[in-house]
Amino acid sequence: MASMMFTDCSSSTAAARLLPLSRGRLRSDCSSIFIRRFVGSHPMCTNSLRTTVHSASSSSHVIKATMSTESSAKVIDGKAVAEQIRDEITAEVSRMKDEIGVVPGLAVILVGDRKDSATYVRNKKKACDSVGITSFEARLPEDSSEHEVLKFISGYNDDPSIHGILVQLPLPSHMNEQNILNAVSIEKDVDGFHPLNIGRLAMRGRDPLFVPCTPKGCIELLHRYGIDIKGKRAVVIGRSNIVGMPAALLLQREDATVSIVHSRTKNPENIIKQADIIIAAVGQPNMVRGSWIKPGAVVIDVGINPVEDAKSRRGYRLVGDVCYEEACKVASAITPVPGGVGPMTIAMLLSNTLSSAKRAHNFQ
Ligand code: NAP
């Protein structure tokens, strides 16, 4: 189903097939304190938006945006927010090193030779380097045994210079993902996928040590743009373990009234239309149409889907799960794809690694 791509969301009948980039669709990966001014606009929304990111030392991180055209949505600029967060992390990493001589460390385990996974791991290493976090990497051949992977995890669990462990998914099919993820110490589970962390996220009165990076990034965007969550009706489209389900739990923890739409939901439009906040994490290009969105709703589009584009040098471009050109006329604020949630995921991974190191060394 995911390989059926709409090339143009202004026409619901215009469907075209795109050769899968990897296993049927482009899988995105789940697994900044300056006062700066920037223009956040999206080519499909003709209005331009002037946005100011306030410094961390000011009373809040809230980003104020003013519109040059009243009829269109504010663009929630994930790239700029992620940059701001990375600057904040850089400052904290350096303060930690100066004050207690500790540098946060992140270990990544990559099994097999999938090109997309190798790219994600490379990007994570680059991101660590850019903020001063030390990265460690274990590359194991595709035919490694589960036992070998578990040995690496156990070594990293015991290594005090490592504060975060990430197993790059997907693992080769002969491995039991559950066994492997469960082996990561919950104190170092920076991906937030350990069942104990997810369980704590779901329970009232309990706090997870880590929250999965992509949903955490979605909520951080809402916070930094000063969007109220409490008492709002929120709809999460998708219920995957890595995005939809934790996103719904996070919204609920923030006192939203949450509905989850999935592939068996009847009349999803009617449910989505009631939402003040929509988080779409489906993997279906342009599925959510403008007419499904309540005027003034806030839209966070997690989807990253390749669609054919003869005009692009690569022959394709990336679109979200929401039909941007329709939605930006109805919503009050919206994340673009690319440049919305995507950059937040790695920023949250760095943030989780820093928090882990701080917690391990009781550094405030
Ligand atoms: P997933 O594991 O495939 O889950 C997709 C979810 O969408 C499932 O819960 C599925 O329902 C639901 N769904 C599928 N078709 C639907 C339909 N027609 N109507 C309603 N719900 C439908 O995908 P995922 O890993 O959560 O990723 C979702 C999207 O986010 C993908 O485009 C992915 O590339 C992107 N993503 C982006 C980032 C980022 O950093 N920006 C990170 C992770 C993922 P069932 O449960 O009923 O099958």
Side-chain angles (χ1 to χ4, degrees), residues 29 102 105 147 155 169 176 198 228 288 322:
D29 183 36
V102 172
H147 178 69
L169 300 178
N176 182 327
I198 293 284
D228 285 338
V288 179
V322 177

Side-chain angles (χ1 to χ4, degrees), residues 1 25-30 214 237-240 242-244 261-264 281-284 287 302-305 321 341-342 345:
M1 194 157 58
R25 78 167 192 231
L26 185 77
R27 293 287 319 192
S28 55
D29 183 36
C30 260
T214 302
I237 318 171
R239 56 176 168 179
S240 69
I242 58 172
V243 194
V261 166
H262 49 76
S263 65
R264 310 295 157 92
V282 194
Q284 298 287 326
M287 183 187 95
V302 181
I304 302 180
N305 310 291
D321 292 335
V341 176
T345 298

Side-chain angles (χ1 to χ4, degrees), residues 76-143:
I76 298 177
D77 189 338
K79 199 165 164 231
V81 175
E83 241 177 67
Q84 183 191 36
I85 291 169
R86 281 160 79 140
D87 287 348
E88 290 163 11
I89 292 169
T90 307
E92 280 299 277
V93 168
S94 139
R95 186 173 71 85
M96 196 172 176
K97 190 177 172 189
D98 291 348
E99 290 183 22
I100 59 166
V102 172
V103 176
L106 173 69
V108 181
I109 299 174
L110 173 63
V111 190
D113 44 19
R114 281 179 62 119
K115 281 208 173 82
D116 55 349
S117 292
T119 306
Y120 296 140
V121 168
R122 206 168 38 245
N123 289 343
K124 284 167 190 167
K125 184 180 181 328
K126 264 198 218 155
C128 284
D129 292 348
S130 75
V131 298
I133 290 177
T134 308
S135 61
F136 302 80
E137 194 183 314
R139 274 180 190 248
L140 283 82
E142 178 89 19
D143 59 358

Side-chain angles (χ1 to χ4, degrees), residues 56-221:
S57 53
S58 70
S59 55
S60 78
H61 294 282
V62 170
I63 297 176
K64 288 186 179 157
T66 46
M67 304 299 311
S68 57
T69 327
E70 275 171 34
S71 59
S72 296
K74 290 179 214 168
V75 179
I76 298 177
D77 189 338
K79 199 165 164 231
V81 175
E83 241 177 67
Q84 183 191 36
I85 291 169
R86 281 160 79 140
D87 287 348
E88 290 163 11
I89 292 169
T90 307
E92 280 299 277
V93 168
S94 139
R95 186 173 71 85
M96 196 172 176
K97 190 177 172 189
D98 291 348
E99 290 183 22
I100 59 166
V102 172
V103 176
L106 173 69
V108 181
I109 299 174
L110 173 63
V111 190
D113 44 19
R114 281 179 62 119
K115 281 208 173 82
D116 55 349
S117 292
T119 306
Y120 296 140
V121 168
R122 206 168 38 245
N123 289 343
K124 284 167 190 167
K125 184 180 181 328
K126 264 198 218 155
C128 284
D129 292 348
S130 75
V131 298
I133 290 177
T134 308
S135 61
F136 302 80
E137 194 183 314
R139 274 180 190 248
L140 283 82
E142 178 89 19
D143 59 358
S144 306
S145 67
E146 209 173 294
H147 178 69
E148 284 170 301
V149 179
L150 291 172
K151 246 172 52 188
F152 269 95
I153 295 178
S154 165
Y156 288 150
N157 279 341
D158 294 339
D159 184 339
S161 62
I162 290 172
H163 307 98
I165 303 170
L166 187 154
V167 181
Q168 187 62 44
L169 300 178
L171 286 162
S173 53
H174 65 277
M175 289 188 185
N176 182 327
E177 186 182 294
Q178 234 187 89
N179 286 347
I180 288 176
L181 293 183
N182 288 2
V184 174
S185 150
I186 70 158
E187 276 86 23
K188 299 189 179 185
D189 173 39
V190 283
D191 253 343
F193 294 160
H194 194 290
L196 270 177
N197 274 322
I198 293 284
R200 289 184 184 186
L201 182 66
M203 291 171 81
R204 283 187 76 104
R206 305 284 171 88
D207 287 314
L209 295 178
F210 302 97
V211 171
C213 300
T214 302
K216 184 178 177 184
C218 296
I219 303 298
E220 188 67 24
L221 283 175

Side-chain angles (χ1 to χ4, degrees), residues 238-311:
R239 56 176 168 179
S240 69
N241 286 343
I242 58 172
V243 194
M245 178 266 287
L249 293 173
L250 279 172
L251 286 165
Q252 187 164 275
R253 285 176 85 93
E254 301 247 350
D255 294 326
T257 302
V258 185
S259 302
I260 298 171
V261 166
H262 49 76
S263 65
R264 310 295 157 92
T265 302
K266 296 210 164 48
N267 301 321
E269 305 88 298
N270 295 343
I271 298 165
I272 295 165
K273 186 103 198 193
Q274 294 174 34
D276 303 304
I277 297 170
I278 299 167
I279 296 185
V282 194
Q284 298 287 326
N286 300 320
M287 183 187 95
V288 179
R289 313 304 304 253
S291 61
W292 300 14
I293 297 170
K294 177 165 125 179
V298 173
V299 178
I300 305 290
D301 191 352
V302 181
I304 302 180
N305 310 291
V307 296
E308 257 174 20
D309 184 357
K311 281 185 251 151

